[in-house]
Amino acid sequence: MALLDVKQLTVSLTSKTSTLDAVSELTFQLQPGKTVGLVGESGAGKSMIGRTIAQLLPPGFAVTGGELLFDGEDLVGMAPERRRSLLGRDIAFIPQEPLSALNPVLTIGQQFREHLEHIGKGGAGWKDRAAAELEAVHLHEPRALLNRYPHQLSGGMCQRVLIAMAFASRPRLLIADEPTTALDVSVQARIVRLIGEMQKRDGTAVIFITHDLRLAAEICDDVIVLYAGRQAEYGPAEVLFRDPAHPYTRCLELAVPDVTGDPRGLYLLPERMPGLKAIADLKGCRFATRCPLADDTCHTQEPGLAEVAPGHVSACWKSFATEGITPPPAPAVAARGSEKILEARGLSKSFVTNWRLFGGASHFHALKAADFIVRDAEFVGVVGESGSGKSTLARTLIGLETPTSGTLQLLGRDIIGTDGGTRDWRQKQMQIVFQDPQSALNPRRKVGSIVAQALEVGGPRLTAEALEVRIRDLLSDTGLSQEMAARYPSQLSGGQKQRVNIARALCRLPRLLIADEIASGLDVSVQAQLLNLLLRLREELGFSMLFISHDLAVVRYLCDRVLVMSKGEIVEHGETEVVFSDPQHPYTRSLLAAVPKGVRAPQVEELSA
Amino acid sequence: MAQRFNWLRSGRVITGLVIVTGLVLCAVFAPLLAPNDPTEQDILAILVPPVWLPGGDWAFPFGTDSLGRCVLSRLIFGSRIALTVAVCGALGAMVLGSILAHIAGYFGGWVDWVIGRVVEIWLSFPPVILSLILMVGLGAGLQNVILAIILVDWTRFCRVLRSDVMVVAQRDYVAAARLLGFSHWRTITREILPATLPLLITLMSLEMGVAVVVEAILSFVGMSVGAEIPAWGQMIADARADIYSAPWVLVLPILAIFVTVFGFNILGDGLRRTLDTRLTQTERA
Ligand code: SF4
């Protein structure tokens, strides 16, 4: 018998006037020891199943149909006491944000003890048990760790602690909701392997929720692709990735760039996934508005889930016609100039970490003698794990940090520690696009005022009309509609915010953009649009860019050259294609090996921690 | 745009606004509203009870005090002093405190350290003692009451606002503004101040209530305006002798203070709730 049997599960947002389905008729079975992946973009409803099981549905949402059987018991209708005794014990969770899942004011030990008590393993000797669990997830010196606070650990370590806690009760079912999204690729590879290891030890079944189809294909037995609350496709992982039956699965796969293989364009899904309201009004296939294969039938009749091969179902009138969906050709290789835009020589930055009145200070070298050049109309990628000095590099280049030594020339002009005039000039020539648009956009300014913010100071005052024109141009350049000018950032989607962020930086037509992780945390279709936008803007405006990212595939798609950073040092640099196809430095090799490729049984080289 | 005026829908804000507006009208139109001259003594009508008690007289709706002065008129004129102190004192404390808070929170480092230490030292004196010491040093008089309030209470603004400024100053849009060429002054006024303004308004409103109480205390001990100008604290002090025979003379000014402070507090509280939630919503959305 299946451990988890989900039958026609429907979760809806109910109000007095309407019922809107967030998940419709979800059906799947999970056997002990197996892993099922739930894949989809945000808004597809992939987190709802975990929330339903945990009874953590957002306010207004409720199960309105179907059954959810755990080992034959109905999880929806079960008495609250019974559910409480199952949760945390037989059913465990690993959250997305490890840091926010741990209480910052309690030590790891205190929290572990509380959890052990909850699962009935508290009492004398809890320390030994906790240490043993931490040891099992390969954390060194587990006893010392018990006395530390969460903020003293890295994200990866916190996630290990949470995994140790989750497996302390030897659960039969584990729900992992995007457990690696906030982590680096190499850490992701280790965490994923660890979950697999623990799963094998205890025979645990795992529901793995992720937006990354390749990662799911790599680690899951079965994969469910969700679109707008409905199962688009459900089948064995390799089949689904290699030979998808549903157009959406194919589009998802083609929307993200690869780290290997021939260069190709990204498949652009038009528009956005319909929201809950729009779904309720749709008559035909939910994907019809964006599907490349849609025809009249699709718009009027909804396809049911049909078995297309043993153990493989798809909800599409044209299953297996996906061969016809091909990616656009690779973007043309842009002509690069030879003019040196930015030149760094021996650029270093160290921070004083431990200052003592007597006996000097200890230094942390965040950036060690970096040498590189960015040429005209060239996109240069910077890759490395968090803590590799990527962000320090960005902050030093833009002038938020003063380098400890070295020289930095912008268009042949020295820009370190210079007078006000040079600073103004530098700010006109070089701009940064910050990582988190949430924090980078003033919530109290309207979009129009944000994008033209740079014109408030410096240069001659513009007339209201000229300003209007500039705002209009910037919005249309970045693919935003004109009405956006009057909106506040909180009224925009994540992708739109990032466009506003870019528009603001481009306002005074800089020669160089510094972009810090601007494409991460976006849905794949939004990410594809953003990457193409950057390429188009380069063609139109002709700027260079230093593109900092942890996503190697994106860097390969976008950048002409790449710098690989590790521990504050540039360990390898060169043409992107050359570096990625024939990496010289072991660190580059291990980074490339950690990228999920959609093939099962990953043999990832261990990175030196 | 509609949500901009959301705060008008809060019951607290409405209540507070009604009370405060009433007070302002009283103060502005005092000569028209008061039935009698507040300083005129009528020795034939000493300790006349208010109209709702037996023996009341419509010539003195709230009765008279031991010198035969009209209590209602004195209350109405007293609101002028109370409001002057509330507005000037709170405004002054706010300006001083918030300027220092913005400087400390924005620049951080040693600037923040110095301002932080000064605030700490200031706060180590009990506020009542500090204001009394100041009054003794400065001497009596309305300006000095206001000055004392400013000098004592700027720390409230500084301490609370500083941490708010710090949070906002960490945001990337503040760094972005600097990198777009904004000066420090412009960055603070255009990017940070709009974010701290709701808190500022709220604190200001609460501080006005505090200022009214402080003025009452100081005029009670004769440190505020001279005896010829009616003030609520003074009325309480004058009424002590007749507390048993004519309790209304004591109770009415206390009630006036109470209603005023209540009005400012409920306004401040209402603003805090409405403005704050609006902020956190936009911030999180
Ligand atoms: S049913 Fe039609 S619209 Fe829906 S996915 Fe299949 S081809 Fe596309």
Side-chain angles (χ1 to χ4, degrees), chain B residues 11-55:
Chain B
R12 286 160 194 270
V13 175
I14 299 289
T15 317
L17 274 182
V18 167
I19 295 176
V20 172
T21 319
L23 273 165
V24 171
L25 290 179
C26 273
V28 172
F29 298 109
L32 299 176
L33 290 172
N36 297 294
D37 182 337
T39 52
E40 190 186 75
Q41 304 181 3
D42 187 344
I43 38 173
L44 295 177
I46 288 172
L47 295 180
V48 173
V51 284
W52 58 88
L53 290 178

Short mmCIF file of all heavy atoms in Angstrom, two decimals, chain B residues 11-55:
data_model
loop_
_atom_site.label_atom_id
_atom_site.label_comp_id
_atom_site.label_asym_id
_atom_site.label_seq_id
_atom_site.Cartn_x
_atom_site.Cartn_y
_atom_site.Cartn_z
N GLY B 11 -11.35 54.86 14.02
CA GLY B 11 -12.16 55.51 15.05
C GLY B 11 -11.30 56.32 16.00
O GLY B 11 -11.67 57.41 16.42
N ARG B 12 -10.12 55.78 16.32
CA ARG B 12 -9.22 56.47 17.24
C ARG B 12 -8.80 57.82 16.68
O ARG B 12 -8.80 58.83 17.37
CB ARG B 12 -7.98 55.64 17.48
CG ARG B 12 -8.21 54.46 18.36
CD ARG B 12 -7.11 53.44 18.17
NE ARG B 12 -7.51 52.20 18.78
CZ ARG B 12 -7.27 51.89 20.04
NH1 ARG B 12 -6.60 52.70 20.80
NH2 ARG B 12 -7.72 50.76 20.55
N VAL B 13 -8.41 57.79 15.41
CA VAL B 13 -7.92 59.03 14.80
C VAL B 13 -9.04 60.06 14.80
O VAL B 13 -8.83 61.24 15.13
CB VAL B 13 -7.41 58.75 13.37
CG1 VAL B 13 -7.02 60.05 12.70
CG2 VAL B 13 -6.23 57.80 13.42
N ILE B 14 -10.26 59.63 14.45
CA ILE B 14 -11.39 60.56 14.40
C ILE B 14 -11.63 61.16 15.78
O ILE B 14 -11.72 62.37 15.95
CB ILE B 14 -12.66 59.81 13.91
CG1 ILE B 14 -12.45 59.25 12.51
CG2 ILE B 14 -13.86 60.76 13.96
CD1 ILE B 14 -12.39 60.29 11.43
N THR B 15 -11.70 60.28 16.81
CA THR B 15 -11.93 60.76 18.18
C THR B 15 -10.86 61.78 18.55
O THR B 15 -11.18 62.87 19.05
CB THR B 15 -11.86 59.58 19.17
OG1 THR B 15 -12.57 58.49 18.61
CG2 THR B 15 -12.43 59.97 20.51
N GLY B 16 -9.61 61.42 18.32
CA GLY B 16 -8.51 62.31 18.67
C GLY B 16 -8.62 63.63 17.93
O GLY B 16 -8.49 64.71 18.53
N LEU B 17 -8.92 63.55 16.64
CA LEU B 17 -9.00 64.77 15.84
C LEU B 17 -10.12 65.68 16.33
O LEU B 17 -9.96 66.89 16.41
CB LEU B 17 -9.23 64.41 14.37
CG LEU B 17 -7.99 64.12 13.55
CD1 LEU B 17 -8.37 63.83 12.10
CD2 LEU B 17 -7.04 65.31 13.59
N VAL B 18 -11.27 65.07 16.69
CA VAL B 18 -12.41 65.87 17.17
C VAL B 18 -12.00 66.62 18.44
O VAL B 18 -12.21 67.84 18.56
CB VAL B 18 -13.63 64.97 17.43
CG1 VAL B 18 -14.69 65.71 18.22
CG2 VAL B 18 -14.20 64.48 16.11
N ILE B 19 -11.38 65.91 19.38
CA ILE B 19 -10.99 66.54 20.64
C ILE B 19 -9.98 67.66 20.38
O ILE B 19 -10.13 68.78 20.87
CB ILE B 19 -10.39 65.50 21.60
CG1 ILE B 19 -11.48 64.49 21.99
CG2 ILE B 19 -9.81 66.18 22.83
CD1 ILE B 19 -11.00 63.36 22.85
N VAL B 20 -8.94 67.33 19.58
CA VAL B 20 -7.89 68.31 19.37
C VAL B 20 -8.42 69.52 18.61
O VAL B 20 -8.11 70.67 18.94
CB VAL B 20 -6.70 67.65 18.61
CG1 VAL B 20 -5.69 68.71 18.21
CG2 VAL B 20 -6.05 66.61 19.49
N THR B 21 -9.27 69.28 17.61
CA THR B 21 -9.84 70.41 16.87
C THR B 21 -10.67 71.29 17.81
O THR B 21 -10.59 72.52 17.76
CB THR B 21 -10.74 69.91 15.72
OG1 THR B 21 -10.11 68.81 15.10
CG2 THR B 21 -11.00 71.00 14.72
N GLY B 22 -11.47 70.65 18.67
CA GLY B 22 -12.27 71.40 19.64
C GLY B 22 -11.38 72.31 20.47
O GLY B 22 -11.68 73.49 20.68
N LEU B 23 -10.26 71.75 20.93
CA LEU B 23 -9.34 72.52 21.76
C LEU B 23 -8.77 73.71 21.00
O LEU B 23 -8.71 74.82 21.53
CB LEU B 23 -8.18 71.62 22.18
CG LEU B 23 -8.41 70.81 23.43
CD1 LEU B 23 -7.37 69.73 23.53
CD2 LEU B 23 -8.35 71.73 24.64
N VAL B 24 -8.38 73.45 19.76
CA VAL B 24 -7.78 74.52 18.97
C VAL B 24 -8.80 75.64 18.78
O VAL B 24 -8.48 76.82 18.92
CB VAL B 24 -7.31 73.97 17.60
CG1 VAL B 24 -6.90 75.11 16.69
CG2 VAL B 24 -6.17 73.00 17.81
N LEU B 25 -10.06 75.27 18.50
CA LEU B 25 -11.11 76.28 18.33
C LEU B 25 -11.26 77.10 19.61
O LEU B 25 -11.35 78.32 19.57
CB LEU B 25 -12.43 75.61 17.95
CG LEU B 25 -12.44 75.02 16.54
CD1 LEU B 25 -13.77 74.34 16.25
CD2 LEU B 25 -12.16 76.10 15.50
N CYS B 26 -11.29 76.39 20.76
CA CYS B 26 -11.39 77.07 22.05
C CYS B 26 -10.29 78.10 22.19
O CYS B 26 -10.52 79.25 22.59
CB CYS B 26 -11.26 76.08 23.19
SG CYS B 26 -12.80 75.33 23.64
N ALA B 27 -9.07 77.68 21.89
CA ALA B 27 -7.92 78.54 22.11
C ALA B 27 -7.97 79.74 21.18
O ALA B 27 -7.76 80.88 21.60
CB ALA B 27 -6.63 77.75 21.90
N VAL B 28 -8.29 79.48 19.90
CA VAL B 28 -8.27 80.57 18.93
C VAL B 28 -9.38 81.58 19.21
O VAL B 28 -9.16 82.79 19.19
CB VAL B 28 -8.39 80.01 17.50
CG1 VAL B 28 -8.55 81.14 16.50
CG2 VAL B 28 -7.16 79.18 17.18
N PHE B 29 -10.58 81.06 19.49
CA PHE B 29 -11.72 81.96 19.66
C PHE B 29 -12.04 82.21 21.13
O PHE B 29 -13.20 82.51 21.46
CB PHE B 29 -12.94 81.40 18.93
CG PHE B 29 -12.71 81.27 17.46
CD1 PHE B 29 -12.57 80.03 16.85
CD2 PHE B 29 -12.62 82.42 16.67
CE1 PHE B 29 -12.35 79.93 15.49
CE2 PHE B 29 -12.39 82.31 15.30
CZ PHE B 29 -12.26 81.08 14.71
N ALA B 30 -11.06 82.10 22.00
CA ALA B 30 -11.31 82.23 23.43
C ALA B 30 -12.07 83.51 23.78
O ALA B 30 -13.08 83.45 24.50
CB ALA B 30 -9.99 82.15 24.19
N PRO B 31 -11.68 84.68 23.28
CA PRO B 31 -12.39 85.90 23.67
C PRO B 31 -13.88 85.87 23.27
O PRO B 31 -14.69 86.47 23.94
CB PRO B 31 -11.66 86.99 22.90
CG PRO B 31 -10.33 86.42 22.56
CD PRO B 31 -10.55 84.96 22.40
N LEU B 32 -14.20 85.16 22.17
CA LEU B 32 -15.59 85.11 21.73
C LEU B 32 -16.39 84.08 22.53
O LEU B 32 -17.57 84.25 22.78
CB LEU B 32 -15.65 84.74 20.24
CG LEU B 32 -14.97 85.71 19.29
CD1 LEU B 32 -15.03 85.18 17.86
CD2 LEU B 32 -15.66 87.07 19.38
N LEU B 33 -15.71 83.00 22.90
CA LEU B 33 -16.42 81.89 23.54
C LEU B 33 -16.63 82.13 25.03
O LEU B 33 -17.63 81.72 25.59
CB LEU B 33 -15.64 80.58 23.34
CG LEU B 33 -15.62 80.02 21.92
CD1 LEU B 33 -14.65 78.85 21.83
CD2 LEU B 33 -17.01 79.59 21.50
N ALA B 34 -15.66 82.73 25.67
CA ALA B 34 -15.73 82.86 27.13
C ALA B 34 -16.86 83.82 27.52
O ALA B 34 -16.96 84.92 26.97
CB ALA B 34 -14.41 83.38 27.67
N PRO B 35 -17.72 83.40 28.45
CA PRO B 35 -18.84 84.27 28.84
C PRO B 35 -18.37 85.48 29.67
O PRO B 35 -19.04 86.51 29.69
CB PRO B 35 -19.73 83.36 29.67
CG PRO B 35 -18.85 82.23 30.12
CD PRO B 35 -17.77 82.09 29.09
N ASN B 36 -17.24 85.34 30.37
CA ASN B 36 -16.78 86.44 31.22
C ASN B 36 -15.30 86.68 30.97
O ASN B 36 -14.62 85.88 30.34
CB ASN B 36 -16.96 86.08 32.70
CG ASN B 36 -18.42 85.88 33.04
OD1 ASN B 36 -19.22 86.80 32.99
ND2 ASN B 36 -18.78 84.63 33.33
N ASP B 37 -14.81 87.80 31.52
CA ASP B 37 -13.38 88.04 31.51
C ASP B 37 -12.73 87.08 32.50
O ASP B 37 -13.15 87.03 33.67
CB ASP B 37 -13.12 89.50 31.93
CG ASP B 37 -11.64 89.83 31.89
OD1 ASP B 37 -10.82 88.90 31.97
OD2 ASP B 37 -11.31 91.03 31.78
N PRO B 38 -11.76 86.29 32.09
CA PRO B 38 -11.23 85.25 32.97
C PRO B 38 -10.51 85.81 34.20
O PRO B 38 -10.33 85.10 35.19
CB PRO B 38 -10.26 84.49 32.07
CG PRO B 38 -9.89 85.46 31.01
CD PRO B 38 -11.08 86.32 30.79
N THR B 39 -10.09 87.06 34.16
CA THR B 39 -9.34 87.60 35.30
C THR B 39 -10.21 88.49 36.18
O THR B 39 -9.79 88.88 37.27
CB THR B 39 -8.14 88.42 34.81
OG1 THR B 39 -8.61 89.37 33.86
CG2 THR B 39 -7.09 87.54 34.17
N GLU B 40 -11.41 88.80 35.72
CA GLU B 40 -12.27 89.70 36.49
C GLU B 40 -12.77 89.02 37.77
O GLU B 40 -13.28 87.92 37.73
CB GLU B 40 -13.46 90.12 35.63
CG GLU B 40 -14.28 91.22 36.25
CD GLU B 40 -15.53 91.50 35.43
OE1 GLU B 40 -16.47 90.69 35.50
OE2 GLU B 40 -15.55 92.48 34.69
N GLN B 41 -12.59 89.69 38.91
CA GLN B 41 -13.03 89.12 40.17
C GLN B 41 -14.37 89.72 40.55
O GLN B 41 -14.55 90.93 40.50
CB GLN B 41 -12.00 89.41 41.26
CG GLN B 41 -10.63 88.90 40.86
CD GLN B 41 -9.61 89.17 41.94
OE1 GLN B 41 -9.90 89.68 43.01
NE2 GLN B 41 -8.37 88.82 41.63
N ASP B 42 -15.28 88.83 40.91
CA ASP B 42 -16.61 89.30 41.34
C ASP B 42 -16.79 88.87 42.79
O ASP B 42 -17.15 87.74 43.08
CB ASP B 42 -17.68 88.68 40.44
CG ASP B 42 -19.05 89.25 40.73
OD1 ASP B 42 -19.19 89.88 41.80
OD2 ASP B 42 -19.94 89.07 39.90
N ILE B 43 -16.47 89.79 43.73
CA ILE B 43 -16.45 89.37 45.14
C ILE B 43 -17.85 89.09 45.67
O ILE B 43 -18.03 88.55 46.74
CB ILE B 43 -15.74 90.41 46.04
CG1 ILE B 43 -16.09 91.82 45.56
CG2 ILE B 43 -14.24 90.18 46.07
CD1 ILE B 43 -15.58 92.88 46.49
N LEU B 44 -18.86 89.45 44.89
CA LEU B 44 -20.22 89.14 45.32
C LEU B 44 -20.59 87.71 44.93
O LEU B 44 -21.57 87.16 45.40
CB LEU B 44 -21.22 90.11 44.70
CG LEU B 44 -21.05 91.56 45.15
CD1 LEU B 44 -22.03 92.44 44.44
CD2 LEU B 44 -21.22 91.65 46.67
N ALA B 45 -19.81 87.13 44.02
CA ALA B 45 -20.13 85.76 43.55
C ALA B 45 -18.92 84.87 43.76
O ALA B 45 -18.23 84.48 42.81
CB ALA B 45 -20.54 85.79 42.10
N ILE B 46 -18.63 84.55 45.01
CA ILE B 46 -17.49 83.69 45.31
C ILE B 46 -17.97 82.24 45.44
O ILE B 46 -19.00 81.98 46.07
CB ILE B 46 -16.79 84.15 46.59
CG1 ILE B 46 -16.03 85.46 46.29
CG2 ILE B 46 -15.83 83.11 47.14
CD1 ILE B 46 -15.47 86.11 47.51
N LEU B 47 -17.22 81.32 44.81
CA LEU B 47 -17.53 79.90 44.89
C LEU B 47 -18.98 79.59 44.55
O LEU B 47 -19.65 78.82 45.22
CB LEU B 47 -17.19 79.35 46.28
CG LEU B 47 -15.70 79.38 46.64
CD1 LEU B 47 -15.49 78.81 48.04
CD2 LEU B 47 -14.89 78.58 45.64
N VAL B 48 -19.44 80.20 43.46
CA VAL B 48 -20.78 79.86 42.96
C VAL B 48 -20.70 78.47 42.33
O VAL B 48 -19.78 78.20 41.55
CB VAL B 48 -21.23 80.89 41.90
CG1 VAL B 48 -22.53 80.47 41.26
CG2 VAL B 48 -21.35 82.27 42.52
N PRO B 49 -21.60 77.57 42.66
CA PRO B 49 -21.53 76.23 42.06
C PRO B 49 -21.94 76.27 40.58
O PRO B 49 -22.59 77.22 40.14
CB PRO B 49 -22.52 75.41 42.88
CG PRO B 49 -23.39 76.39 43.56
CD PRO B 49 -22.68 77.70 43.64
N PRO B 50 -21.55 75.24 39.80
CA PRO B 50 -21.96 75.18 38.40
C PRO B 50 -23.46 75.06 38.27
O PRO B 50 -24.13 74.68 39.24
CB PRO B 50 -21.26 73.93 37.87
CG PRO B 50 -20.49 73.35 38.99
CD PRO B 50 -20.74 74.13 40.22
N VAL B 51 -23.98 75.31 37.07
CA VAL B 51 -25.43 75.39 36.88
C VAL B 51 -26.16 74.11 37.24
O VAL B 51 -27.32 74.15 37.62
CB VAL B 51 -25.80 75.76 35.44
CG1 VAL B 51 -25.55 77.23 35.20
CG2 VAL B 51 -25.02 74.92 34.44
N TRP B 52 -25.48 72.94 37.09
CA TRP B 52 -26.22 71.69 37.34
C TRP B 52 -26.33 71.36 38.83
O TRP B 52 -26.99 70.42 39.21
CB TRP B 52 -25.60 70.53 36.57
CG TRP B 52 -24.16 70.25 36.89
CD1 TRP B 52 -23.70 69.46 37.88
CD2 TRP B 52 -23.03 70.76 36.22
NE1 TRP B 52 -22.35 69.45 37.88
CE2 TRP B 52 -21.90 70.24 36.86
CE3 TRP B 52 -22.87 71.63 35.12
CZ2 TRP B 52 -20.60 70.55 36.45
CZ3 TRP B 52 -21.59 71.92 34.74
CH2 TRP B 52 -20.45 71.39 35.39
N LEU B 53 -25.69 72.19 39.68
CA LEU B 53 -25.84 71.99 41.12
C LEU B 53 -26.82 73.03 41.65
O LEU B 53 -26.97 74.09 41.05
CB LEU B 53 -24.49 72.15 41.82
CG LEU B 53 -23.47 71.05 41.55
CD1 LEU B 53 -22.16 71.34 42.26
CD2 LEU B 53 -24.00 69.69 41.95
N PRO B 54 -27.46 72.75 42.78
CA PRO B 54 -28.37 73.76 43.35
C PRO B 54 -27.62 75.05 43.66
O PRO B 54 -26.50 75.02 44.17
CB PRO B 54 -28.90 73.09 44.63
CG PRO B 54 -28.05 71.88 44.86
CD PRO B 54 -27.46 71.50 43.55
N GLY B 55 -28.23 76.14 43.35
CA GLY B 55 -27.59 77.44 43.60
C GLY B 55 -26.78 77.92 42.43
O GLY B 55 -26.14 78.96 42.48
#
